[in-house]
Amino acid sequence: MRLDTAGVAEAIGVFISGWNEHDLVRHFSVFAEDADFVDVVGRRLRGRAAMFADQSARHAQRFAESSVRTLDLDIRMVRDDVALVHYQWEMVGDRGPDGTGHGVRRGIFTFTLCREADTWLVVAAHNTESVV
């Protein structure tokens, strides 16, 4: 089995840096066109275009000054072309739904990525916020 954890980590890095640079095109560029995404409040979004449309308005307001950092990144190669990733994150700068701020938030993404030629793409993601 060819273990390409560096390529998987690079894709997750683009996801993170896209968020922190407030470049949602870059942020979602690592998702397959038909990817599935369950967001932190449990809504299921289907396809990169739906994800982008949903987050664009929120990112322009609530998340405009937010940034995330990695607490832990665990990559498990399921096959040479499939990876399972658990990405623990911490966010600051979230203004919250009412604009008053949320303080520090933490959570974990679970990503499934598939290699298409030499590119790793997220085909499914699930975000869960830690409440403790």
Side-chain angles (χ1 to χ4, degrees):
M1 181 184 320
R2 184 175 149 221
L3 301 178
D4 187 14
T5 58
V8 173
E10 182 179 333
I12 301 303
V14 168
F15 175 79
I16 296 164
S17 64
W19 183 276
N20 288 337
E21 295 164 9
H22 307 286
D23 180 349
L24 291 185
V25 171
R26 179 170 159 71
H27 176 69
F28 286 116
S29 70
V30 298
F31 281 77
E33 289 290 336
D34 62 348
D36 278 295
F37 174 49
V38 177
D39 71 11
V40 75
V41 295
R43 294 176 310 134
R44 183 177 179 198
L45 302 170
R46 295 181 183 182
R48 185 190 307 163
M51 293 174 224
F52 181 83
D54 179 74
Q55 285 295 314
S56 291
R58 228 177 253 105
H59 206 83
Q61 301 293 323
R62 176 178 178 166
F63 298 122
E65 297 173 9
S66 68
S67 64
V68 294
R69 73 179 183 101
T70 302
L71 299 177
D72 187 50
L73 181 65
D74 181 65
I75 300 169
R76 181 170 67 106
M77 300 304 298
V78 178
R79 298 189 327 218
D80 64 345
D81 62 342
V82 177
L84 177 65
V85 176
H86 290 97
Y87 162 62
Q88 289 183 281
W89 53 267
E90 180 178 85
M91 177 187 287
V92 295
D94 173 4
R95 293 181 185 154
D98 63 359
T100 62
H102 250 38
V104 177
R105 296 174 59 190
R106 291 181 184 86
I108 186 167
F109 263 101
T110 302
F111 294 103
T112 302
L113 291 88
C114 292
R115 185 186 3 238
E116 309 258 339
D118 287 328
T119 303
W120 284 97
L121 292 174
V122 175
V123 295
H126 189 126
N127 191 12
T128 304
E129 186 164 9
S130 300
V131 294
V132 291

